[in-house]
Amino acid sequence: MSQSRRILAVHAGRESVSPGELIDVGVDLVLANDITAPLAIEEFNKLGVDVFDKSRVVLVLDHFTPNRDIASAEQCAFVRRFALEHRIEHFYDGGEVGIEHVLLPEEGLIRPGEVVIGADSHTCTYGALGAFATGMGSTDIAAAMATGKAWFRAPEAVLINVTGKPGPWVGGKDLILHLIGVLGVDGATYRSLEFTGDGIAELSVDGRLTAANMAIEAGAKNGLFPVDRPVVEYLEGVGVKVAECALEPDEYGYVGEMSVDMVSLPPQVALPHLPSNTVAVGEAPRVKLDQVVIGSCTNGRMEDMRVAAELLRGRRTAPQVRLIIIPGSPRVYRRSMEEGLFDIFLDAGAVISPPTCGPCLGGHMGVLASGERALSTTNRNFTGRMGHRESEVYLSNPAVAAASAVSGTITDPGELR
Amino acid sequence: MSGEVLEGRAHKVGDHINTDLIIPATYLVSKDPVELGCHLMEGLDPDFCSRVEAGDIIVAGYNFGSGSSREHAPVAIKGAGISCVIAASFARIFYRNSINVGLPILESPEASAAVSEGDLLMVDLSSGIIEDVTTGESFEVPSYPEFMRKIMDAGGLIEYRRSELSGG
């Protein structure tokens, strides 16, 4: 079995499951946010039961918070009442809010071998820590909140063999943008992306979280990394004690195998309007940028803040470029402040936002006007994703984003003066 | 939802129609299907919704419903009066969301390619036959797996789980 199906089989009380089987699976953690929880709660209330486990339901008010408008305030109030009434142990509100997929790993809520479902498509992030994690809709989440179960179609797996040490300014974002470019936005639909190879050891845990986060952008059900020494140490740091666990080969074979040599991979940029429109940064058009966003569930972690600061130190953003930096969680926020990164960001002319999904989905805190162009470390560059239908979003890693904020156009960080 | 015959005009859309196009995120502050339906496909074409009549059918290309997990997408489609979606293929989360909320969806690359904008379609959900009344062509869609049919016959996932919870 693939590692993904192995985890599902254990949670279905089965010896094994074959690809394509429809199975009912016990879930370890059920997540929703201020956009998806209201619908889930409405459906949940129809069942007239309590939640299956108050410690295994997680609610994070992260998308349109701090409240954007009256309508979003009402949604948050609705979720808040539910969380208090049902004594949800992991309810994140106010100053405890982080972007969910940055926050949950830091909170020690993600454990290898567990099954995590979330009413958010980027729930697949947690595969970087060896969990089977996938996004679903509100009704699936409602049913799981009540029963602790969800149905799955057991996925085939695609094996991704990562080799070599990445060059400067290259990381997990470039690995996954490159893969999406090769696979296409539906190239892995219904499938697991399972990562293996000696190149994984060269990727930080933050970089792996970034890569797993965007597995959905190739249509994948989940992405999964081995639990090696760095993951074990990361988890120890957040109070979770586990053993290392390699990915064992799938005896059914893989439906696809791909290799990525990180040594020769340049920083990647996805051009509008699909994440699969990837080119090397040097081949990206030299468009004039109006806004640069560094943050999100994809790139709002400590490594991302440090990389951005390294390039922004002693430099200023180009005239008419609005640079918005969004530390992804209260921990990332505080640590960035303690390390002096906020001084660098402010001196560079950046706006520092509280942790929120905000501009990534055109919610608030940096919405684009018609004709405007943004370079963003987020995960989607669909038409209108960050604002007006006639705006454009380019995707990149934080180093390219920071360098481009300084030059005013899409720029290879290695060439920044 | 099985057993019904649906009839409506085709509204054609292309490949990779993602949920940001179906219902832009800024409107996700409502749970009301009709209100959400007023903004259907606004990301693609602000006038789309005004052309939809009750019962009409969306005919899409590959990977319909990709992107965000927002269930507001199938809810908005239903709320606008669309009776079903036919696509060459569906994204995974959209597929299960549609089953869970009772929006009929049919996967048919053949129908997706053959049907033209404005064609009158008849869809027999029990036999899985799509008929293009305008051209006289018809297309057969493989039936849903039994597990999914049980969910649909129960009236959606919540009703299905309710019968389980009550030991039924």
Side-chain angles (χ1 to χ4, degrees), chain A residues 22-24 34-36 38-39 42-44 46-49 64 68-69 71-72 75 78 118-121 134-140 142-143 146-147 149-153 185-186 189-190 216-217 219-221 273-274 361-363 380 382-383 385 389, chain B residues 15-16 18-21 24-32 36 41-46 62-64 66-73 75 89-93 95-97 99-101 107 145-148 151 156-165:
Chain A
L22 290 164
I23 47 172
D24 247 344
D34 52 314
I35 282 178
T36 57
L39 274 180
E42 276 207 339
E43 294 302 310
F44 173 88
K46 292 179 186 168
L47 287 168
V49 295
F64 290 164
R68 177 187 75 169
D69 55 11
S72 57
Q75 296 223 112
F78 181 70
D120 189 279
S121 59
T134 191
M136 294 184 179
S138 295
T139 299
D140 273 314
T147 63
K149 286 194 302 191
W151 64 271
F152 288 87
R153 180 184 174 280
V185 287
D186 58 353
T189 300
Y190 283 103
I216 177 71
E217 307 315 331
K221 177 171 279 187
H273 293 282
L274 287 176
L361 71 167
R380 289 188 176 134
F382 300 152
T383 304
R385 171 75 177 180
R389 264 179 352 107
Chain B
D15 294 337
H16 309 304
N18 59 68
T19 54
D20 279 281
L21 296 176
T26 195
Y27 301 120
L28 304 183
V29 286
S30 172
K31 302 187 287 282
D32 178 45
L36 289 166
M41 295 289 177
E42 202 173 292
L44 185 69
D45 172 2
Y62 287 94
N63 199 29
F64 185 81
S66 53
S68 145
S69 69
R70 64 190 70 160
E71 202 163 285
H72 310 70
V75 170
S89 68
F90 291 94
R92 183 187 69 83
I93 303 176
Y95 186 94
R96 56 188 301 150
N97 283 350
I99 288 176
N100 289 342
V101 305
E107 196 166 285
E146 195 190 337
F147 185 83
M148 286 183 208
I151 293 174
L157 182 67
I158 292 297
E159 292 306 317
Y160 177 76
R161 291 298 191 201
R162 187 207 299 282
S163 64
E164 278 189 338
L165 284 169

Side-chain angles (χ1 to χ4, degrees), chain A residues 108-237:
Chain A
L109 292 172
I110 306 301
R111 306 172 67 92
E114 292 200 339
V115 173
V116 182
I117 60 169
D120 189 279
S121 59
H122 294 108
T123 302
C124 53
T125 306
Y126 313 129
L129 302 179
F132 180 96
T134 191
M136 294 184 179
S138 295
T139 299
D140 273 314
I141 292 309
M145 276 168 31
T147 63
K149 286 194 302 191
W151 64 271
F152 288 87
R153 180 184 174 280
E156 293 97 0
V158 177
L159 190 70
I160 311 291
N161 188 31
V162 185
T163 57
K165 187 179 164 73
W169 316 119
V170 175
K173 184 64 164 284
D174 306 291
L175 167 63
I176 192 67
L177 283 177
H178 171 72
L179 282 172
I180 296 161
V182 174
L183 287 164
V185 287
D186 58 353
T189 300
Y190 283 103
R191 294 169 175 174
S192 306
L193 296 182
E194 300 206 343
F195 292 84
T196 185
D198 61 21
I200 289 173
E202 305 290 346
L203 290 173
S204 65
V205 173
D206 280 1
R208 302 178 202 184
L209 287 159
T210 299
N213 172 272
M214 286 186 72
I216 177 71
E217 307 315 331
K221 177 171 279 187
N222 68 311
L224 196 60
F225 279 81
V227 182
D228 62 3
R229 194 69 228 152
V231 171
V232 169
E233 284 169 6
Y234 173 97
L235 290 169
E236 268 174 17

Side-chain angles (χ1 to χ4, degrees), chain B:
Chain B
M1 69 200 225
S2 54
E4 257 183 284
V5 178
L6 310 171
E7 189 177 334
R9 297 271 169 197
H11 295 267
K12 290 269 288 188
V13 294
D15 294 337
H16 309 304
I17 299 298
N18 59 68
T19 54
D20 279 281
L21 296 176
I22 297 170
I23 179 80
T26 195
Y27 301 120
L28 304 183
V29 286
S30 172
K31 302 187 287 282
D32 178 45
V34 175
E35 198 180 325
L36 289 166
C38 289
H39 302 290
L40 179 64
M41 295 289 177
E42 202 173 292
L44 185 69
D45 172 2
D47 300 325
F48 187 93
C49 185
S50 64
R51 294 197 303 272
V52 171
E53 288 180 28
D56 281 358
I57 292 167
I58 290 176
V59 180
Y62 287 94
N63 199 29
F64 185 81
S66 53
S68 145
S69 69
R70 64 190 70 160
E71 202 163 285
H72 310 70
V75 170
I77 292 171
K78 278 181 78 176
I82 295 286
S83 63
C84 81
V85 181
I86 298 165
S89 68
F90 291 94
R92 183 187 69 83
I93 303 176
F94 182 87
Y95 186 94
R96 56 188 301 150
N97 283 350
S98 298
I99 288 176
N100 289 342
V101 305
L103 171 70
I105 49 172
L106 297 101
E107 196 166 285
S108 171
E110 296 79 18
S112 166
V115 170
S116 301
E117 175 76 24
D119 283 3
L120 181 64
L121 305 180
M122 282 181 71
V123 177
D124 185 334
L125 291 176
S126 54
S127 65
I129 303 285
I130 301 167
E131 190 189 347
D132 187 328
V133 179
T134 306
T135 64
E137 280 186 279
S138 66
F139 311 90
E140 193 172 350
V141 180
S143 57
Y144 292 104
E146 195 190 337
F147 185 83
M148 286 183 208
R149 270 210 311 277
K150 276 192 205 162
I151 293 174
M152 289 188 281
D153 289 344
L157 182 67
I158 292 297
E159 292 306 317
Y160 177 76
R161 291 298 191 201
R162 187 207 299 282
S163 64
E164 278 189 338
L165 284 169
S166 62

